Amino acid sequence: MQNDRLISASERGPSGPRSRRPLPPWVSTTALLLPTYGWLTLAVFLPLLTMFVFSFMSATPMGKAPIVFTLKQYRAFIDQPYLVGIGITSLLIGFWTTLFCAVLGFLAAVALVRSTFGKTREMLLILILLPFWTNGLVRVFSWTMVLRENGFLDSLLHIIAPDAGSIGFLYTRYAVVVGLVHGYLPYMILTCYIALVAIDDAIIEAASSLGARWWTILFKILMPLAAPGLISGAVLIFIPVIGSFMEPRILGGRVGVTMGTVIEDQFTQAFNWPLGASLSFTLLAVVLAIFATFSGVLRRGTVA
């Protein structure tokens, strides 16, 4: 008994029971972030760093040619001027795809937030996510059956107007944009939906009670308040679209040559990894420059 009292007394401090010393904040923060950043380092940063090193090489390191570090690969746009036109085409396709996704996605998100409730809204959200559940290659090839001459679109037209000509536009840049909009539209709908669902209904009711028309509410209230969602969706869409290669190759045919298809050819056909890597990082630098140029405008739109 006396020993127990001595032990219990030793475990008590001068002002009560002895408490364990808490870990420093940086230890717990590091423990939480280490798995995530460790995975990002292995799966993203190290491969990017490897490709960045490849872009300065004179030949693919797996070959027998001697390796010399040079800036020659980054002169591709000067030595091969046709790449400039391909780059502009890729940026235009990215711009139009993002624009159509912004218009359609924002209106769809407004209809989803303002006109649906409960299980109906949940069902529509599932339908929006449905394209992500199917293989992207299947989605793109399905558009070839719709847009080709004598395809589903032509068949529907001939039912209405039997003497009408063909309106199929497969193997055009318009077909590429249609396929890309279909693939990336859910990103814009979801980001706009998240921004719109956070808007207080009292703001809309107050505007309506003061006599605001629906277009005033849409353009003066909903759109500025949903600007963060629009900007996030634009970033999520524009960056991967300008580097896409599956939709341009399948739906564009001979006119579907973009930076994405050129880069893919360098890696898979020409086996010129340094040139493919340099084109990839050049395209990344152009995208970052575009967003840096318009970052002030985007920030003001977000604050507004």
Side-chain angles (χ1 to χ4, degrees):
M1 262 325 259
Q2 187 175 2
N3 291 336
D4 293 341
R5 292 194 189 96
L6 291 175
I7 293 174
S8 62
S10 64
E11 291 178 349
R12 295 173 63 88
S15 60
R18 181 182 299 173
S19 59
R20 293 184 178 180
R21 180 179 299 176
L23 293 173
W26 66 268
V27 174
S28 58
T29 303
T30 303
L32 290 173
L33 296 180
L34 187 60
T36 301
Y37 281 95
W39 172 252
L40 285 176
T41 301
L42 292 175
V44 178
F45 297 141
L46 286 181
L48 281 177
L49 180 61
T50 303
M51 286 294 104
F52 186 67
V53 175
F54 281 1
S55 68
F56 293 99
M57 294 182 178
S58 59
T60 303
M62 278 69 76
K64 296 181 179 180
I67 303 299
V68 178
F69 287 92
T70 176
L71 295 174
K72 174 185 175 182
Q73 309 298 343
Y74 284 94
R75 295 181 53 196
F77 286 92
I78 300 175
D79 298 336
Q80 305 176 46
Y82 74 93
L83 290 175
V84 177
I86 295 176
I88 294 174
T89 299
S90 301
L91 292 175
L92 288 175
I93 289 176
F95 169 77
W96 287 113
T97 301
T98 305
L99 179 62
F100 285 126
C101 285
V103 174
L104 298 176
F106 180 75
L107 295 177
V110 170
L112 191 64
V113 172
R114 306 302 306 175
S115 303
T116 60
F117 304 93
K119 292 184 178 180
T120 303
R121 180 181 294 180
E122 295 174 1
M123 183 185 66
L124 290 175
L125 283 174
I126 292 175
L127 291 177
I128 290 171
L129 296 174
L130 194 60
F132 291 131
W133 299 354
T134 58
N135 185 274
L137 195 60
V138 174
R139 296 200 307 267
V140 176
F141 271 112
S142 66
W143 276 110
T144 64
M145 303 300 295
V146 176
L147 302 178
R148 68 182 178 87
E149 188 176 353
N150 296 325
F152 294 148
L153 194 61
D154 274 358
S155 300
L156 181 62
L157 175 65
H158 292 156
I159 292 174
I160 301 173
D163 298 331
S166 175
I167 58 172
F169 54 94
L170 186 61
Y171 304 133
T172 64
R173 292 197 179 105
Y174 304 108
V176 175
V177 172
V178 168
L180 289 169
V181 169
H182 174 237
Y184 290 93
L185 182 60
Y187 290 108
M188 184 65 73
I189 295 176
L190 291 177
T191 54
C192 291
Y193 170 80
I194 293 172
L196 288 169
V197 78
I199 298 175
D200 192 352
D201 291 338
I203 299 175
I204 311 299
E205 294 173 359
S208 299
S209 63
L210 292 174
R213 302 289 186 178
W214 65 267
W215 57 83
T216 303
I217 296 175
L218 180 65
F219 291 107
K220 298 291 186 179
I221 298 176
L222 293 179
M223 189 173 291
L225 292 178
L230 281 167
I231 294 171
S232 301
V235 172
L236 289 174
I237 292 172
F238 184 78
I239 292 177
V241 160
I242 61 173
S244 62
F245 59 90
M246 185 170 59
E247 292 87 353
R249 190 176 295 280
I250 296 174
L251 299 177
R254 289 179 297 178
V255 303
V257 180
T258 62
M259 287 304 300
T261 60
V262 172
I263 292 171
E264 185 208 11
D265 288 339
Q266 297 305 315
F267 279 99
T268 60
Q269 303 295 328
F271 204 64
N272 191 350
W273 289 17
L275 180 57
S278 66
L279 292 177
S280 301
F281 282 100
T282 302
L283 189 62
L284 177 62
V286 171
V287 173
L288 293 178
I290 292 173
F291 281 109
T293 302
F294 292 99
S295 61
V297 178
L298 297 178
R299 192 179 300 112
R300 285 196 297 270
T302 304
V303 172

